[in-house]
Amino acid sequence: MKVFIAGGDGYLGWPTAMNLSANGHDVLVADNYLRRNMSLEEDVEPLYEVPNLIERSRLWLKKTGKKIDVRIGDLADWDFISSIFKEFKPDAVVHYAEQPSAPYSMLNRRAALLTINVNLNVTANIIFATREFTPDAQIVKIGTMGEYGTPNIDIEEGWINIDHKGRSHKFLYPRQAGSLYHTTKIMDTDLLWYYVRMWGLRVTDLMQGPVYGIFTKETKDDERLLPFFNYDELFGTIVNRFVVQAVTGYPLTVYGKGGQTRGYLNIKDTLNCVRLSLENPADKGELRIFNQLTETFTVNELAEKTVKAGEKIGLDVKIKNIENPRKEMEEHYYNPVHTGLIELGLEPHLLTQEVLIEMMNVVIKHKANIAEHKIFRGTKWD
Ligand code: USQ
């Protein structure tokens, strides 16, 4: 398959590019380095330096003999995106090209508007370019479990049947996001659903939970191919943050009561989910939604797992419940259905002690780079 990865430089974009390339697909990636530049602007660079996208592609070619084409530019710019579609004619588009952080979107008005503009404009351009140049191509979009919020009923995979006054109809599952970032992802889904209905696009929307991890099959023996690893409040997701905190002796930052439950997955499973979705495409005129997670746990349970893993390698890990900078439910019901991807063949990698220790060992190697002031800045969401 010819796969165009929009946002190919990010935490998930680059590992996905290597994984698809290793599995025989012809890959082109595009990125404008937004994520790198935001980290730099906010003084929250990742744990270790990551070569630029062109250099990574060169390293990959040297290692495997396989070429990943790179284009640097802004996908909200029609001339740039349309030139890629005209030239490459993708069979599939994987859409990661968004401002990916909930806390960043809550920083200030500028960050909020950047999030709205980037996320909606790029999604719209991908839809328009697909329709104009490759109408049969499938779009695989990274959505988020945060689109659903934390409702007091089970979370279905995207759709729900409503019986009302003796009649019934299937709707997108009700969505109530907790951050502006998550709200833009709801708007993305609405845009996609509208154009699926109008233009018969084929779309898979993957509602993903927080991802953790560093290694994938393709990175194991070459550190220069590793993805970004952020541990700061803006761009670090909780598991990666806790691992860094454990290594550096910073008490684990449990927000509020710590009963917040989310559906997590290993970065290896993100790659497998995206590949399985591509290799089993949605039909024309279908918006297919999968909940992309492999297990659920609370922040408190994660903190306990981190303490136990740390103990095994001689780390004295402390937990500290701190005032929650976010506005979210700290104790709630959470039961998402997540069978669709398993039915396609996903074999989950769970968050075992070994996985946490493997991550801790990488972080220990780069311990000298950890800047404590980056860990917590307490940006209030309300
Ligand atoms: N949390 C803490 N302490 C911390 C960091 C986070 O208690 O130091 C809590 C948060 O309050 C939240 C939960 O852990 O309840 C998850 O936070 P997170 O920062 O790992 O994840 P989140 O901001 O929700 O966003 C991440 C990704 C985003 C993705 C989303 C999936 O950055 O791109 O869409 O996970 S989900 O959370 O299911 O919406």
Side-chain angles (χ1 to χ4, degrees), residues 12 99-104 142-149 179 181-182 185 207-211 231-242 245 252-256 258-265 292-293 298-300 302 322 324-330 332 334 375-376 381:
L12 303 175
Q99 188 299 93
S101 158
Y104 180 85
I142 301 297
T144 166
M145 285 300 291
E147 292 185 38
Y148 302 119
S179 77
Y181 152 78
H182 289 104
K185 305 289 272 196
M207 301 299 169
Q208 182 169 247
V211 182
Y231 57 93
D232 58 275
E233 177 183 312
L234 295 179
F235 297 108
T237 47
I238 186 167
V239 182
N240 293 359
R241 276 167 65 65
F242 277 11
Q245 293 170 11
L252 304 184
T253 52
V254 171
Y255 293 169
Q260 302 91 312
T261 310
R262 298 288 182 272
Y264 292 85
L265 78 162
Q292 188 160 304
L293 59 128
T298 65
V299 171
N300 287 329
L302 174 63
I322 57 178
N324 195 343
R326 304 187 181 192
K327 200 165 174 179
E328 62 184 355
M329 302 231 304
E330 293 174 3
H332 57 91
Y334 200 68
I375 292 179
F376 186 70
W381 284 28

Side-chain angles (χ1 to χ4, degrees), residues 17-37:
M18 290 190 293
N19 182 263
L20 292 174
S21 171
N23 280 282
H25 299 293
D26 185 4
V27 179
L28 182 146
V29 294
D31 208 292
N32 63 351
Y33 293 141
L34 174 74
R35 174 74 167 61
R36 286 180 188 252
N37 292 333

